[in-house]
Amino acid sequence: MEKAWRWFGEKDAIKLDMLRQIGVEAIVSALHDIKNGEVWPLEAIADYKNYIESFGLRWSVVESLPVSESIKYAGDDRDLLIDNYIQSLENLGKAGVKTVCYNFMPVLDWARTDLYYQWEDGSSSLYFDKAKFAYFEIHILGRIEAVNDYSEEILNKVKAIHSSITEKEKEDLIDTIIVKTQGFVNGNIKEGEQNPVEKFKSLLTLYKGIGKEQLRENMKYFLEKIMPICEKWNIQMCVHPDDPPFSLLGLPRIVTCEDDIDWLLKAVDNPHNGLTFCTGSLSAGINNDVPKLAKKYASRTKFVHLRSTNILENGDFVEAHHLEGRGKLIDVIKIFEIENPGLPMRIDHGRLLTDDIGKNYNPGYSFLGRMLAFGQIHGVIETLKDDLEN
Ligand code: DNO
């Protein structure tokens, strides 16, 4: 596997020389300053690529070239936005950056309720608390019909949260779900937004009446339009699975499990329509057997995210150590080393260790926590390669 690292550009507190020193070979990044929906100019792409290369690294994956909401809900301007997307792909192709990660999640790009779940050793990781999310839907967004989406047990917990939550805790929850986890990935709501809850609610209304079948149709439409430019430049499109892989906010989810992936790969049966195999997102689906999926989809996988989770009895999930939990990374790496060697992989999320605290890293993107996982995974890859060669 190619050992890559997600880097957020020159503003990132983690510098490229540091990455080179720990054995990183390639960079996963995006032109983060360009607004969602606008064309990425060739010159800006080339400058960014040259900068990365000046450190002896290569820009191997774009994560993400975001798909505008209007493409997802089929708004009036979707064709114009798809044309812009095609132009960005053309420019990436010309510049030689040919693996492009994206997602097709309505409104919310990944969801967590807690950024600092405490472990006994003082480190922390990201966490998804079902009852807190239900509370957010029902009491903060006022989405009353959400009561139909949750069990009685969860609804009882929601009542308890409602009677004890402080204003500060409420603000933190809003900030975590719709601001802190979204702004840095070119999501809909940025830090400093005056009224994030109102903006979020108005985004949700765009999807009124759009169910799973319609969202699938819209995704197919988008992929069919962009395949010719991908063929021209040999660009690999790789969709990121929905995180978490179950429905939230009454919105449809279409990349969550084997059935979904089967549908997606058949609907547009073109080798340029591929997957970002995210062991973290997939492992949070109770019915997903991650190594089994890796084996089945190895040839259509173009990029790998390595991370693991544990699902708790109450339905919450927590991000686990990279070598533990449901992600089964050692098995997955072995499968990819045999079935599709050389794929770019990056460590996804890491714990926040004591010396990471206060450094203003994006949620999940600590330095020491990720470096620890990177070192472990590097060792696993080399050991497996050695075993396979002998
Ligand atoms: C979060 C990330 C996601 C991912 C996008 C891909 O940490 O895994 O934001 O980059 O969903 O389009």
mmCIF file of all heavy atoms in Angstrom, residues 6 63-66 101-105 109-110 112 126 181 184-185 238 240-241 243 278 281 305 307 346 348-349 363-365, ligand 1:
data_model
loop_
_atom_site.group_PDB
_atom_site.id
_atom_site.type_symbol
_atom_site.label_atom_id
_atom_site.label_comp_id
_atom_site.label_asym_id
_atom_site.label_seq_id
_atom_site.Cartn_x
_atom_site.Cartn_y
_atom_site.Cartn_z
ATOM 1 N N ARG A 6 -3.578 12.543 5.397
ATOM 2 C CA ARG A 6 -4.448 13.671 5.056
ATOM 3 C C ARG A 6 -3.874 14.960 5.632
ATOM 4 O O ARG A 6 -3.673 15.095 6.838
ATOM 5 C CB ARG A 6 -5.855 13.462 5.603
ATOM 6 C CG ARG A 6 -6.812 14.519 5.066
ATOM 7 C CD ARG A 6 -8.216 14.310 5.550
ATOM 8 N NE ARG A 6 -9.156 15.018 4.696
ATOM 9 C CZ ARG A 6 -10.456 15.038 4.882
ATOM 10 N NH1 ARG A 6 -10.991 14.374 5.885
ATOM 11 N NH2 ARG A 6 -11.242 15.706 4.066
ATOM 12 N N GLU A 63 -9.120 14.586 -1.626
ATOM 13 C CA GLU A 63 -10.207 14.312 -0.682
ATOM 14 C C GLU A 63 -10.568 15.636 -0.033
ATOM 15 O O GLU A 63 -9.759 16.191 0.688
ATOM 16 C CB GLU A 63 -9.783 13.326 0.393
ATOM 17 C CG GLU A 63 -10.931 13.051 1.363
ATOM 18 C CD GLU A 63 -10.593 11.980 2.407
ATOM 19 O OE1 GLU A 63 -9.526 11.371 2.311
ATOM 20 O OE2 GLU A 63 -11.405 11.797 3.316
ATOM 21 N N SER A 64 -11.765 16.099 -0.336
ATOM 22 C CA SER A 64 -12.688 15.645 -1.354
ATOM 23 C C SER A 64 -12.813 16.702 -2.445
ATOM 24 O O SER A 64 -12.545 17.871 -2.194
ATOM 25 C CB SER A 64 -14.074 15.512 -0.749
ATOM 26 O OG SER A 64 -14.119 14.623 0.326
ATOM 27 N N LEU A 65 -13.346 16.252 -3.592
ATOM 28 C CA LEU A 65 -13.904 17.216 -4.536
ATOM 29 C C LEU A 65 -15.403 17.163 -4.221
ATOM 30 O O LEU A 65 -16.101 16.226 -4.612
ATOM 31 C CB LEU A 65 -13.600 16.801 -5.973
ATOM 32 C CG LEU A 65 -14.092 17.766 -7.057
ATOM 33 C CD1 LEU A 65 -13.570 19.178 -6.858
ATOM 34 C CD2 LEU A 65 -13.692 17.267 -8.451
ATOM 35 N N PRO A 66 -15.899 18.150 -3.435
ATOM 36 C CA PRO A 66 -17.252 17.994 -2.891
ATOM 37 C C PRO A 66 -18.347 18.069 -3.950
ATOM 38 O O PRO A 66 -18.257 18.841 -4.901
ATOM 39 C CB PRO A 66 -17.383 19.159 -1.903
ATOM 40 C CG PRO A 66 -16.179 19.996 -2.014
ATOM 41 C CD PRO A 66 -15.237 19.397 -3.025
ATOM 42 N N CYS A 101 -11.695 11.324 -4.208
ATOM 43 C CA CYS A 101 -12.652 10.840 -3.199
ATOM 44 C C CYS A 101 -13.782 11.872 -3.054
ATOM 45 O O CYS A 101 -13.539 13.075 -3.112
ATOM 46 C CB CYS A 101 -11.875 10.664 -1.896
ATOM 47 S SG CYS A 101 -12.839 10.359 -0.428
ATOM 48 N N TYR A 102 -14.988 11.373 -2.866
ATOM 49 C CA TYR A 102 -16.150 12.261 -2.684
ATOM 50 C C TYR A 102 -17.174 11.483 -1.866
ATOM 51 O O TYR A 102 -16.972 10.294 -1.587
ATOM 52 C CB TYR A 102 -16.746 12.665 -4.048
ATOM 53 C CG TYR A 102 -17.427 11.519 -4.756
ATOM 54 C CD1 TYR A 102 -18.820 11.393 -4.776
ATOM 55 C CD2 TYR A 102 -16.680 10.501 -5.361
ATOM 56 C CE1 TYR A 102 -19.444 10.311 -5.386
ATOM 57 C CE2 TYR A 102 -17.299 9.427 -5.971
ATOM 58 C CZ TYR A 102 -18.670 9.336 -5.984
ATOM 59 O OH TYR A 102 -19.287 8.261 -6.572
ATOM 60 N N ASN A 103 -18.244 12.130 -1.472
ATOM 61 C CA ASN A 103 -19.316 11.360 -0.831
ATOM 62 C C ASN A 103 -20.653 11.839 -1.369
ATOM 63 O O ASN A 103 -20.733 12.875 -2.033
ATOM 64 C CB ASN A 103 -19.262 11.505 0.696
ATOM 65 C CG ASN A 103 -19.651 12.894 1.143
ATOM 66 O OD1 ASN A 103 -20.822 13.275 1.109
ATOM 67 N ND2 ASN A 103 -18.676 13.693 1.548
ATOM 68 N N PHE A 104 -21.680 11.065 -1.094
ATOM 69 C CA PHE A 104 -23.021 11.423 -1.582
ATOM 70 C C PHE A 104 -23.998 11.416 -0.400
ATOM 71 O O PHE A 104 -25.102 10.863 -0.472
ATOM 72 C CB PHE A 104 -23.455 10.443 -2.681
ATOM 73 C CG PHE A 104 -24.211 11.128 -3.808
ATOM 74 C CD1 PHE A 104 -23.544 11.803 -4.821
ATOM 75 C CD2 PHE A 104 -25.604 11.104 -3.844
ATOM 76 C CE1 PHE A 104 -24.234 12.437 -5.854
ATOM 77 C CE2 PHE A 104 -26.309 11.740 -4.878
ATOM 78 C CZ PHE A 104 -25.615 12.407 -5.877
ATOM 79 N N MET A 105 -23.577 12.054 0.701
ATOM 80 C CA MET A 105 -24.426 12.138 1.891
ATOM 81 C C MET A 105 -25.177 13.464 1.884
ATOM 82 O O MET A 105 -24.540 14.510 1.780
ATOM 83 C CB MET A 105 -23.570 12.102 3.163
ATOM 84 C CG MET A 105 -23.053 10.753 3.523
ATOM 85 S SD MET A 105 -21.962 10.852 4.975
ATOM 86 C CE MET A 105 -20.357 10.962 4.212
ATOM 87 N N ASP A 109 -21.952 15.846 6.210
ATOM 88 C CA ASP A 109 -20.811 14.985 5.870
ATOM 89 C C ASP A 109 -20.298 14.437 7.196
ATOM 90 O O ASP A 109 -19.765 15.165 7.993
ATOM 91 C CB ASP A 109 -19.752 15.878 5.191
ATOM 92 C CG ASP A 109 -18.467 15.158 4.841
ATOM 93 O OD1 ASP A 109 -18.015 14.328 5.643
ATOM 94 O OD2 ASP A 109 -17.904 15.435 3.779
ATOM 95 N N TRP A 110 -20.488 13.265 7.526
ATOM 96 C CA TRP A 110 -20.120 12.537 8.767
ATOM 97 C C TRP A 110 -20.701 13.167 10.031
ATOM 98 O O TRP A 110 -20.830 14.383 10.121
ATOM 99 C CB TRP A 110 -18.629 12.282 8.856
ATOM 100 C CG TRP A 110 -17.678 13.388 9.287
ATOM 101 C CD1 TRP A 110 -17.477 14.598 8.686
ATOM 102 C CD2 TRP A 110 -16.778 13.349 10.405
ATOM 103 N NE1 TRP A 110 -16.514 15.294 9.355
ATOM 104 C CE2 TRP A 110 -16.054 14.563 10.418
ATOM 105 C CE3 TRP A 110 -16.502 12.410 11.404
ATOM 106 C CZ2 TRP A 110 -15.094 14.865 11.369
ATOM 107 C CZ3 TRP A 110 -15.530 12.710 12.349
ATOM 108 C CH2 TRP A 110 -14.836 13.932 12.320
ATOM 109 N N ARG A 112 -20.790 13.059 14.433
ATOM 110 C CA ARG A 112 -20.372 12.618 15.771
ATOM 111 C C ARG A 112 -21.052 13.547 16.778
ATOM 112 O O ARG A 112 -21.336 14.710 16.461
ATOM 113 C CB ARG A 112 -18.853 12.745 15.976
ATOM 114 C CG ARG A 112 -17.995 11.861 15.115
ATOM 115 C CD ARG A 112 -18.122 10.373 15.446
ATOM 116 N NE ARG A 112 -17.213 9.610 14.605
ATOM 117 C CZ ARG A 112 -17.503 9.230 13.354
ATOM 118 N NH1 ARG A 112 -18.686 9.508 12.807
ATOM 119 N NH2 ARG A 112 -16.621 8.563 12.646
ATOM 120 N N LEU A 126 -13.273 10.171 19.219
ATOM 121 C CA LEU A 126 -14.587 10.626 18.770
ATOM 122 C C LEU A 126 -15.644 9.569 19.098
ATOM 123 O O LEU A 126 -15.344 8.372 19.140
ATOM 124 C CB LEU A 126 -14.560 10.878 17.259
ATOM 125 C CG LEU A 126 -13.459 11.816 16.751
ATOM 126 C CD1 LEU A 126 -13.498 11.899 15.220
ATOM 127 C CD2 LEU A 126 -13.615 13.202 17.335
ATOM 128 N N THR A 181 -17.432 19.547 13.011
ATOM 129 C CA THR A 181 -17.112 18.384 12.181
ATOM 130 C C THR A 181 -17.316 18.684 10.685
ATOM 131 O O THR A 181 -16.934 17.867 9.842
ATOM 132 C CB THR A 181 -18.012 17.179 12.552
ATOM 133 O OG1 THR A 181 -19.364 17.652 12.613
ATOM 134 C CG2 THR A 181 -17.635 16.583 13.894
ATOM 135 N N PHE A 184 -14.362 22.178 8.227
ATOM 136 C CA PHE A 184 -13.042 21.897 7.672
ATOM 137 C C PHE A 184 -13.062 20.894 6.522
ATOM 138 O O PHE A 184 -12.077 20.736 5.821
ATOM 139 C CB PHE A 184 -12.083 21.432 8.792
ATOM 140 C CG PHE A 184 -12.248 19.996 9.201
ATOM 141 C CD1 PHE A 184 -11.426 19.015 8.665
ATOM 142 C CD2 PHE A 184 -13.205 19.614 10.126
ATOM 143 C CE1 PHE A 184 -11.562 17.687 9.035
ATOM 144 C CE2 PHE A 184 -13.344 18.292 10.504
ATOM 145 C CZ PHE A 184 -12.524 17.319 9.960
ATOM 146 N N VAL A 185 -14.178 20.183 6.343
ATOM 147 C CA VAL A 185 -14.258 19.268 5.195
ATOM 148 C C VAL A 185 -15.108 19.881 4.071
ATOM 149 O O VAL A 185 -15.725 19.168 3.286
ATOM 150 C CB VAL A 185 -14.796 17.859 5.585
ATOM 151 C CG1 VAL A 185 -13.780 17.120 6.434
ATOM 152 C CG2 VAL A 185 -16.140 17.918 6.296
ATOM 153 N N CYS A 238 -13.804 7.709 -6.294
ATOM 154 C CA CYS A 238 -14.023 6.720 -5.226
ATOM 155 C C CYS A 238 -14.912 7.304 -4.149
ATOM 156 O O CYS A 238 -14.518 8.206 -3.413
ATOM 157 C CB CYS A 238 -12.721 6.191 -4.666
ATOM 158 S SG CYS A 238 -11.354 7.309 -4.591
ATOM 159 N N HIS A 240 -16.926 7.723 -0.778
ATOM 160 C CA HIS A 240 -16.719 7.398 0.637
ATOM 161 C C HIS A 240 -18.037 6.875 1.198
ATOM 162 O O HIS A 240 -19.083 7.482 0.967
ATOM 163 C CB HIS A 240 -16.295 8.672 1.373
ATOM 164 C CG HIS A 240 -15.863 8.444 2.772
ATOM 165 N ND1 HIS A 240 -16.751 8.212 3.794
ATOM 166 C CD2 HIS A 240 -14.631 8.385 3.320
ATOM 167 C CE1 HIS A 240 -16.076 8.032 4.922
ATOM 168 N NE2 HIS A 240 -14.784 8.131 4.662
ATOM 169 N N PRO A 241 -18.008 5.764 1.940
ATOM 170 C CA PRO A 241 -19.269 5.276 2.523
ATOM 171 C C PRO A 241 -19.865 6.295 3.487
ATOM 172 O O PRO A 241 -19.151 7.140 4.032
ATOM 173 C CB PRO A 241 -18.859 4.008 3.284
ATOM 174 C CG PRO A 241 -17.449 3.728 2.924
ATOM 175 C CD PRO A 241 -16.847 4.956 2.328
ATOM 176 N N ASP A 243 -21.151 7.946 6.753
ATOM 177 C CA ASP A 243 -20.595 7.858 8.104
ATOM 178 C C ASP A 243 -21.483 8.662 9.048
ATOM 179 O O ASP A 243 -21.479 9.892 8.971
ATOM 180 C CB ASP A 243 -19.165 8.398 8.087
ATOM 181 C CG ASP A 243 -18.519 8.355 9.458
ATOM 182 O OD1 ASP A 243 -19.133 7.820 10.398
ATOM 183 O OD2 ASP A 243 -17.400 8.874 9.599
ATOM 184 N N CYS A 278 -13.580 2.629 3.462
ATOM 185 C CA CYS A 278 -13.342 3.200 4.786
ATOM 186 C C CYS A 278 -13.735 2.158 5.844
ATOM 187 O O CYS A 278 -14.924 1.936 6.098
ATOM 188 C CB CYS A 278 -14.128 4.495 4.977
ATOM 189 S SG CYS A 278 -13.894 5.172 6.637
ATOM 190 N N SER A 281 -15.976 3.751 8.758
ATOM 191 C CA SER A 281 -17.409 3.956 8.520
ATOM 192 C C SER A 281 -18.126 2.619 8.403
ATOM 193 O O SER A 281 -19.187 2.418 8.999
ATOM 194 C CB SER A 281 -17.633 4.745 7.228
ATOM 195 O OG SER A 281 -16.907 5.935 7.262
ATOM 196 N N HIS A 305 -9.240 4.000 3.680
ATOM 197 C CA HIS A 305 -9.157 4.711 4.963
ATOM 198 C C HIS A 305 -9.049 3.665 6.047
ATOM 199 O O HIS A 305 -9.928 2.798 6.146
ATOM 200 C CB HIS A 305 -10.443 5.508 5.238
ATOM 201 C CG HIS A 305 -10.532 6.805 4.521
ATOM 202 N ND1 HIS A 305 -11.580 7.682 4.720
ATOM 203 C CD2 HIS A 305 -9.715 7.410 3.638
ATOM 204 C CE1 HIS A 305 -11.396 8.766 3.976
ATOM 205 N NE2 HIS A 305 -10.275 8.617 3.303
ATOM 206 N N ARG A 307 -9.198 2.783 9.910
ATOM 207 C CA ARG A 307 -9.696 3.211 11.217
ATOM 208 C C ARG A 307 -10.620 2.114 11.715
ATOM 209 O O ARG A 307 -11.094 1.312 10.918
ATOM 210 C CB ARG A 307 -10.476 4.531 11.058
ATOM 211 C CG ARG A 307 -11.226 5.009 12.270
ATOM 212 C CD ARG A 307 -11.689 6.453 12.066
ATOM 213 N NE ARG A 307 -12.758 6.613 11.084
ATOM 214 C CZ ARG A 307 -14.038 6.388 11.301
ATOM 215 N NH1 ARG A 307 -14.443 5.961 12.476
ATOM 216 N NH2 ARG A 307 -14.949 6.578 10.359
ATOM 217 N N ARG A 346 -4.715 5.938 3.868
ATOM 218 C CA ARG A 346 -4.356 6.897 4.908
ATOM 219 C C ARG A 346 -4.962 6.452 6.228
ATOM 220 O O ARG A 346 -5.998 5.783 6.252
ATOM 221 C CB ARG A 346 -4.798 8.320 4.559
ATOM 222 C CG ARG A 346 -6.289 8.597 4.661
ATOM 223 C CD ARG A 346 -6.541 10.091 4.631
ATOM 224 N NE ARG A 346 -7.931 10.463 4.644
ATOM 225 C CZ ARG A 346 -8.690 10.567 5.728
ATOM 226 N NH1 ARG A 346 -8.215 10.250 6.921
ATOM 227 N NH2 ARG A 346 -9.947 10.963 5.638
ATOM 228 N N ASP A 348 -7.134 7.051 9.186
ATOM 229 C CA ASP A 348 -8.273 7.933 9.393
ATOM 230 C C ASP A 348 -8.415 8.158 10.901
ATOM 231 O O ASP A 348 -8.374 7.196 11.677
ATOM 232 C CB ASP A 348 -9.530 7.271 8.836
ATOM 233 C CG ASP A 348 -10.671 8.265 8.671
ATOM 234 O OD1 ASP A 348 -10.408 9.475 8.654
ATOM 235 O OD2 ASP A 348 -11.824 7.818 8.541
ATOM 236 N N HIS A 349 -8.561 9.358 11.277
ATOM 237 C CA HIS A 349 -8.723 9.776 12.678
ATOM 238 C C HIS A 349 -7.681 9.113 13.596
ATOM 239 O O HIS A 349 -7.221 8.024 13.336
ATOM 240 C CB HIS A 349 -10.124 9.454 13.221
ATOM 241 C CG HIS A 349 -11.202 10.037 12.355
ATOM 242 N ND1 HIS A 349 -12.512 9.694 12.469
ATOM 243 C CD2 HIS A 349 -11.158 10.950 11.352
ATOM 244 C CE1 HIS A 349 -13.223 10.365 11.578
ATOM 245 N NE2 HIS A 349 -12.419 11.135 10.885
ATOM 246 N N PRO A 363 -11.096 18.030 14.248
ATOM 247 C CA PRO A 363 -11.551 16.871 15.016
ATOM 248 C C PRO A 363 -11.158 15.551 14.342
ATOM 249 O O PRO A 363 -11.488 15.321 13.173
ATOM 250 C CB PRO A 363 -13.070 17.026 15.032
ATOM 251 C CG PRO A 363 -13.313 18.467 14.777
ATOM 252 C CD PRO A 363 -12.169 18.985 13.960
ATOM 253 N N GLY A 364 -10.456 14.719 15.082
ATOM 254 C CA GLY A 364 -10.028 13.416 14.547
ATOM 255 C C GLY A 364 -8.638 13.461 13.930
ATOM 256 O O GLY A 364 -8.016 12.423 13.733
ATOM 257 N N TYR A 365 -8.146 14.673 13.651
ATOM 258 C CA TYR A 365 -6.895 14.754 12.883
ATOM 259 C C TYR A 365 -5.721 15.242 13.733
ATOM 260 O O TYR A 365 -4.999 16.177 13.369
ATOM 261 C CB TYR A 365 -7.111 15.593 11.615
ATOM 262 C CG TYR A 365 -8.026 14.879 10.660
ATOM 263 C CD1 TYR A 365 -9.409 15.033 10.728
ATOM 264 C CD2 TYR A 365 -7.524 13.957 9.745
ATOM 265 C CE1 TYR A 365 -10.270 14.317 9.898
ATOM 266 C CE2 TYR A 365 -8.369 13.239 8.916
ATOM 267 C CZ TYR A 365 -9.736 13.430 8.994
ATOM 268 O OH TYR A 365 -10.563 12.706 8.176
HETATM 269 C C1 DNO B 1 -14.026 12.799 8.076
HETATM 270 C C2 DNO B 1 -13.890 12.297 6.717
HETATM 271 C C3 DNO B 1 -14.990 12.716 5.763
HETATM 272 C C4 DNO B 1 -14.573 12.386 4.341
HETATM 273 C C5 DNO B 1 -15.588 12.777 3.307
HETATM 274 C C6 DNO B 1 -15.187 12.235 1.961
HETATM 275 O O1 DNO B 1 -13.129 12.699 8.849
HETATM 276 O O2 DNO B 1 -13.700 10.926 6.679
HETATM 277 O O3 DNO B 1 -15.223 14.076 5.882
HETATM 278 O O4 DNO B 1 -13.413 13.070 4.027
HETATM 279 O O5 DNO B 1 -16.826 12.314 3.649
HETATM 280 O O6 DNO B 1 -15.902 12.881 0.965
#
